[in-house]
Amino acid sequence: MNNIHSSSNLLNEQTETIKRNYRGQDYPVKVLQIGEGNFLRGFFDWMIHECNKQGNFQGSIVVTQPRPSGKGMIEKLANQDCLYTLMIRGLQNGAKIEQKEIIPVFAGALNPYEEWKEFLALACSPTLEFIVSNTTEAGLSYQTLPWKDGEPIESFPGKLTAFLYRRYVHFNGDPKKGLIMLPCELLEKNGDILKRYVLQHSKDWGLPLTFMEWVERDNLFLNSLVDRIVTGFPEKEAECLFSKWGYRDLLLNTAEPYHFWAIEGNPELEKKLPLRKSGLNVQWVKDLAPYQIRKVRILNGSHTLMALLGILSGMDTVGEWVSQSESNQFLRETVDNEIIPTLAFDRKEIMEYAESVFERFMNPFVQHRLADISLNSISKFKVRLLPTIESYYEKNQKLPDNLIRAFAALIRFYQIEKMEDGYIGFQFNGDSYVVKDHEQVLSFMCERWSQFKKNELSLQNLIKQFLGNDLFWDKDLNQIDGLSSSIYEELKEMI
């Protein structure tokens, strides 16, 4: 068997690169990380490594998984002495970059479902300052759970409540021993939500009022917005890379160069977590809303536009869209002339952000499938593109041409038929694609298009029923003057 496949070649503390390089694992534990997946390892952990390399943070991390299914990843980390390789690849300021680095920030990896006592013992650490999490949107949710002393709690908010209570008891409610929570889940007001769930669990379990006051007064739950594409393990290239490096890494991770983190908190917190000082693209802000709107309207809005028109035109990826001059120009004109003018941002700053988004779309190492983006397109359109259409109309007393074309494409995208194993639509050339959404959405659209095909429903009425569906929009969009007729003019060309 080839030496590269042997366990002795697995990345560990004896790997030559590690023996020669800086070891951040030797610093005191300052962070508990709940989330072992690709994103945090390609985002937050890399940031801490950058801070440590410059001597600015001087702290390490203990990582745990948020749910029992993460056991395998924790075991892989333990087998590799908590080390992994991160490759950063893509375009930056027009130049193609490829960087590789071993990240040595984890002082330990534990499974709270099998090492509950060890997990809670970490709450007693005097050096601990932060808890960072990425448990997905589903993980940041509330569920009624029993308190069983000595038994692990499955949910993330429940687990955190038990952890904070152990810390409160151990330090006798010392106000200086509160922690800073940095949730990275992609939910608005993620910090506020997490705090609310912790307090609800505290009430459910009859924990002391003084503990709840300590949680409120002496701990910080900071809302934050994260942005970086982390593409994970490069399956097709891995063996070639391992042969080149001389070691195997089952936790090899890949990410784009772009990164951004907006944290709603006092800039004084930079002294505790010196991210900006270390040259990272991080903002401590009073209000996160403008940054969330910017990302949703420009980045996510562009994704939805490309998915709808791209799939109908026979494209498979974001890269394919931006590589074609006509479609790329259409996207840029939409962002520059229809989306950006509706946003209350400094013109220069917002244009720079938009340019960074376009550069990210052109990353040759990221194959972002339009089919993945198209999941639940109606609800995404409602959040990502409809507010721009409404704002543009309010400001200009006319509708934005390109976004109206995208709206028509949304309806055309859902020109679907039901098959045995789901619903399919048809591209402009007649080839089929799969449409995934909630059943009530799919059945509504399938029925309306079937009525249209049988001449039981006119195209104008189909559009009006679509725009008037309260399930989709929570209001009647037919009230927007000229919207229905403008969509009709575009849609009739598409069918």
Side-chain angles (χ1 to χ4, degrees), residues 388-446:
T388 298
I389 294 172
E390 293 175 318
S391 297
Y392 187 96
Y393 180 78
E394 184 178 342
K395 184 177 181 180
N396 301 289
Q397 293 306 300
K398 65 177 184 177
L399 293 163
D401 294 338
N402 288 3
L403 289 178
I404 293 303
R405 180 164 180 77
F407 215 148
L410 176 69
I411 303 175
R412 172 62 177 80
F413 182 81
Y414 282 84
Q415 185 176 357
I416 53 178
E417 297 179 7
K418 187 171 185 179
M419 311 299 285
E420 286 186 11
D421 54 350
Y423 293 82
I424 61 169
F426 298 91
Q427 298 170 354
F428 296 142
N429 66 6
D431 291 344
S432 66
Y433 56 86
V434 176
V435 180
K436 295 183 179 181
D437 209 318
H438 298 292
E439 176 60 33
Q440 53 192 354
V441 172
L442 295 168
S443 60
F444 177 90
M445 296 305 296
C446 185

Side-chain angles (χ1 to χ4, degrees), residues 86-92 95-101 234 237 241 244-245 254-257 363-365:
L86 179 67
M87 294 181 67
I88 296 176
R89 310 187 294 181
L91 300 176
Q92 193 169 45
K96 188 174 178 180
I97 69 166
E98 291 187 66
Q99 300 170 348
K100 165 219 167 196
E101 195 164 12
E237 306 166 72
L241 293 170
K244 178 181 176 182
W245 299 340
T254 54
E256 66 173 339
N363 187 342
F365 297 103

Side-chain angles (χ1 to χ4, degrees), residues 304-329:
T304 293
L305 180 148
M306 286 188 284
L308 296 169
L309 286 166
I311 290 173
L312 288 171
S313 301
M315 299 181 193
D316 292 322
T317 66
V318 168
E320 191 175 350
W321 173 285
V322 296
S323 69
Q324 299 187 22
S325 59
E326 185 177 346
S327 56
N328 192 37
Q329 183 179 352

Side-chain angles (χ1 to χ4, degrees), residues 155-196:
S155 85
F156 162 47
K159 203 180 283 101
L160 177 60
T161 305
F163 188 90
L164 290 174
Y165 184 60
R166 171 61 67 89
R167 189 169 181 85
Y168 167 81
V169 171
H170 180 80
F171 289 109
N172 298 311
D174 185 345
K176 295 181 180 179
K177 295 301 180 183
L179 299 175
I180 299 171
M181 265 53 72
L182 289 165
C184 296
E185 290 81 3
L186 293 177
L187 290 171
E188 286 189 33
K189 302 291 184 183
N190 45 19
D192 295 344
I193 292 171
L194 181 57
K195 182 178 181 179
R196 185 167 72 247

Side-chain angles (χ1 to χ4, degrees), residues 194-248:
L194 181 57
K195 182 178 181 179
R196 185 167 72 247
Y197 292 163
V198 166
L199 292 173
Q200 185 60 54
H201 279 303
S202 301
K203 292 175 184 176
D204 291 348
W205 296 334
L207 299 179
L209 180 61
T210 51
F211 165 67
M212 289 185 266
E213 291 172 346
W214 178 79
V215 169
E216 284 266 21
R217 183 186 63 242
D218 301 319
N219 293 263
L220 294 176
F221 293 76
L222 303 181
N223 298 318
S224 83
L225 172 70
V226 297
D227 191 4
R228 186 177 224 180
I229 297 173
V230 179
T231 42
F233 190 84
E235 195 76 45
K236 294 180 180 179
E237 306 166 72
E239 292 304 323
C240 180
L241 293 170
F242 297 159
S243 295
K244 178 181 176 182
W245 299 340
Y247 69 85
R248 292 177 60 76

